[in-house]
Amino acid sequence: MRMVFLFFWICLILPTVAQDDDEREFRTLHFWKNECASCHGQDGQGYDEGRGPAIAGLPDYYFMQQIAKYREGMRGGTDDENVYFMHREAVELDDELFRDLAAYVAALPPRRAAHSVVGDIERGQVLYANLCAECHGSAAEGNAAKESPPLHGFQDWYLIEQVQRFRRGERKADPQNLDSVAMHAMAKRLWRPRDIRNIAAFITTRLDGEPDAQP
């Protein structure tokens, strides 16, 4: 009798679970296509004209970390239109949707962006090895233990813009995260714009996110 009841209960609940999963998937795809893709591209490849970064393949830990930072105002002032939009979305929407979006984004295949910056790649290689590789990996593949993002999929202009934002204090250091503090301090060391360009040119030209690559 108990086994019959258990089988009957499972038959009742499984369609509900499947329906809930379908609804979450529909909600995620609908939100991505109608809200996210206008800035980040349908395939997550970015949108240069709108200054939208490529986010395809970003790991879910980094995606959720940045949503939290937008909520807390740590990603810059809301006088920037794109920052304001992200801040508003992060505050108004729920974590379930963001977790589903994070999984969707992580599954999108990253691709190398078109180059828009001219730099000294050899100089960028040296700078990357000395300043960036410890946290972001020898091939810019990221580091989950440090919650550091992969860099190889971002556009060169976006990499430059973010270092500048760290330097200006628009992207704030998280005092609870030593690696975040270290990133802020590292950006301060890059006081010559050409060195930032050199690093960005090296990352987007030479590195592909495969851990066996050598900077």
Side-chain angles (χ1 to χ4, degrees):
M1 182 67 180
R2 184 177 298 175
M3 291 298 294
V4 172
F5 175 77
L6 180 61
F7 176 76
F8 179 72
W9 183 81
I10 291 173
C11 289
L12 285 176
I13 198 172
L14 281 179
T16 302
V17 172
Q19 182 179 4
D20 288 345
D21 287 345
D22 288 344
E23 289 177 355
R24 285 180 62 177
E25 182 178 2
F26 175 81
R27 183 190 184 203
T28 302
L29 291 176
H30 183 269
F31 190 84
W32 171 264
K33 291 178 179 179
N34 290 281
E35 299 293 337
C36 307
S38 59
C39 288
H40 298 292
Q42 288 292 343
D43 299 319
Q45 75 276 10
Y47 182 52
D48 292 345
E49 291 81 358
R51 308 304 279 179
I55 60 174
L58 279 183
D60 55 0
Y61 67 81
Y62 184 71
F63 186 101
M64 295 303 296
Q65 176 199 87
Q66 297 310 301
I67 292 301
K69 290 184 182 297
Y70 275 114
R71 281 180 178 163
E72 297 161 8
M74 298 182 69
R75 283 284 310 235
T78 53
D79 54 326
D80 181 291
E81 183 178 356
N82 289 341
V83 172
Y84 171 75
F85 177 79
M86 286 300 302
H87 171 74
R88 187 189 66 191
E89 296 291 272
V91 169
E92 293 180 354
L93 299 173
D94 58 274
D95 280 345
E96 180 180 79
L97 175 59
F98 282 125
R99 284 192 293 269
D100 291 341
L101 283 169
Y104 181 80
V105 166
L108 293 174
R111 66 187 190 194
R112 194 180 294 280
H115 303 302
S116 63
V117 171
V118 176
D120 182 337
I121 294 174
E122 303 307 320
R123 174 62 179 163
Q125 178 177 359
V126 173
L127 289 169
Y128 183 88
N130 292 333
L131 298 176
C132 312
E134 182 178 352
C135 288
H136 294 285
S138 62
E141 74 274 18
N143 187 325
K146 292 178 174 288
E147 296 188 336
S148 299
L151 302 177
H152 64 94
F154 289 127
Q155 302 100 314
D156 46 18
W157 61 261
Y158 181 76
L159 294 172
I160 292 169
E161 182 179 284
Q162 297 316 299
V163 173
Q164 292 170 339
R165 286 181 178 273
F166 275 111
R167 281 187 50 79
R168 294 192 297 262
E170 294 170 4
R171 287 189 65 166
K172 299 175 176 62
D174 181 355
Q176 305 301 317
N177 185 322
L178 293 179
D179 294 308
S180 172
V181 174
M183 177 65 204
H184 200 267
M186 184 281 294
K188 292 289 188 182
R189 294 175 62 184
L190 290 168
W191 57 272
R192 290 183 294 193
R194 67 173 178 271
D195 283 341
I196 304 175
R197 291 196 301 271
N198 294 340
I199 292 174
F202 169 67
I203 292 171
T204 57
T205 302
R206 296 281 181 84
L207 299 184
D208 58 8
E210 294 297 328
D212 59 353
Q214 295 297 316

